[in-house]
Each structure stands twice: as C-alpha cells, then as structure tokens.
Amino acid sequence: MNDTDLLDERALSKLRWRCRRGLLENDLFIERFFAEHESCITVRQARAMTALMDLSDNDLLDLLLQRKEPEGDLASEEVVELLGVLRTRH
C-alpha cells in the first residue's frame, strides 16, 4: 500500500476502534476528525493516528491542546501534519 492510498472499509473500522479513548476531550477531537475526513483518510494519516493512540490520554490531550509538541520519534512529519488537522476547528 502506498502512503496516499485511502483506507479500505476494514482498515477504517479498525482505526476507529483503536481511537477510542478514556478522556471525553480526546474523543471530541478524534470524532470531529472522523466526521470531517472519514471518506478520505490515507494510509499515512492512519499510521500517524496509530502513533498518537500509543500515548497516554493526558499526553495526547497536551498535544491536541498545543500545550506540548511531539518529540523524538513522535515528531515525524506525518504526525505533525495530522496534529495540524486534528487541532483545526471548522
């Protein structure tokens, strides 16, 4: 699969399940992302989202609220791009 390929229905379903969080605030950001972009989520975005989902709820919320920026391996271009999308309100 290419980074720009769209997720198929099965992969999208798995990603949505993986993105369930314990903090309502995180869920609000994530649900808004899915509501606006579900039909066009790429393999690259899914990989970045998976990396973010490996974080604790509090660390994820700090990133979403821009109290922190990603560091180390998490500071990849794809994660930074996805955070920009997640942080944007439409």
Side-chain angles (χ1 to χ4, degrees):
M1 269 193 147
N2 190 322
D3 277 0
T4 58
D5 288 347
L6 297 180
L7 288 187
D8 61 31
E9 204 56 43
R10 184 166 186 252
L12 185 59
S13 178
K14 284 182 172 184
L15 182 64
R16 273 180 129 343
W17 179 257
R18 176 71 176 92
C19 288
R20 294 172 37 145
R21 303 303 295 194
L23 279 178
L24 174 63
E25 293 85 348
N26 287 336
D27 280 337
L28 294 174
F29 278 95
I30 293 165
E31 284 304 312
R32 187 179 66 227
F33 170 77
F34 277 107
E36 294 175 6
H37 302 283
E38 185 169 21
S39 65
C40 59
I41 296 174
T42 64
V43 170
R44 176 183 171 94
Q45 288 172 319
R47 192 170 48 240
M49 184 68 85
T50 299
L52 289 173
M53 294 305 107
D54 287 339
L55 297 172
S56 72
D57 281 334
N58 290 329
D59 288 341
L60 177 60
L61 186 60
D62 284 344
L63 288 173
L64 293 172
L65 295 176
Q66 292 180 285
R67 293 189 284 214
K68 291 183 182 175
E69 292 300 323
E71 298 175 347
D73 292 342
L74 193 61
S76 68
E77 184 178 326
E78 61 194 26
V79 169
V80 171
E81 285 175 10
L82 181 63
L83 275 173
V85 173
L86 286 164
R87 291 169 171 170
T88 302
R89 294 178 189 225
H90 293 266

